[in-house]
Amino acid sequence: SSVSPFIVPLSVSILLMPSISQPSLSCLLCSLMDFYPAQIQLRWFQGQQELLGHVVASDVVPNRDWTHWLLVEHISLEHPLSPTP
């Protein structure tokens, strides 16, 4: 018999704040919390265009309950982007 993989959905928040890596600049900080499995990919888009530069990510950090968290900042953005409908 096959075993179904189980996935814990993540919690996402995006905040405008001073950059962790460059404190003189503002950034959008995306917090990805309580997800499983640990493999995850975060991509920033403005409209249809993927924003490839100016992204700083922490390592994926394990929690005690087998879930994980990750912080990713984009230092070139100055306000939250509207979600694509």
Side-chain angles (χ1 to χ4, degrees), residues 65-76:
D65 64 358
W66 297 82
T67 64
H68 300 80
W69 62 270
L70 170 69
L71 299 176
V72 183
E73 69 175 32
H74 195 293
I75 60 173
S76 69

Side-chain angles (χ1 to χ4, degrees), residues 19-53:
S19 169
I20 296 168
S21 62
Q22 299 186 40
S24 63
L25 300 175
S26 293
C27 75
L28 287 178
L29 179 67
C30 182
S31 304
L32 307 171
M33 307 300 289
D34 303 326
F35 58 90
Y36 181 88
Q39 293 74 26
I40 194 164
Q41 181 182 40
L42 173 79
R43 296 162 62 192
W44 292 99
F45 285 86
Q46 185 170 14
Q48 300 298 317
Q49 180 67 40
E50 183 173 1
L51 303 173
L52 298 173

Side-chain angles (χ1 to χ4, degrees), residues 53-70:
H54 307 291
V55 175
V56 179
S58 71
D59 291 331
V60 173
V61 180
N63 293 316
R64 289 184 170 187
D65 64 358
W66 297 82
T67 64
H68 300 80
W69 62 270
L70 170 69

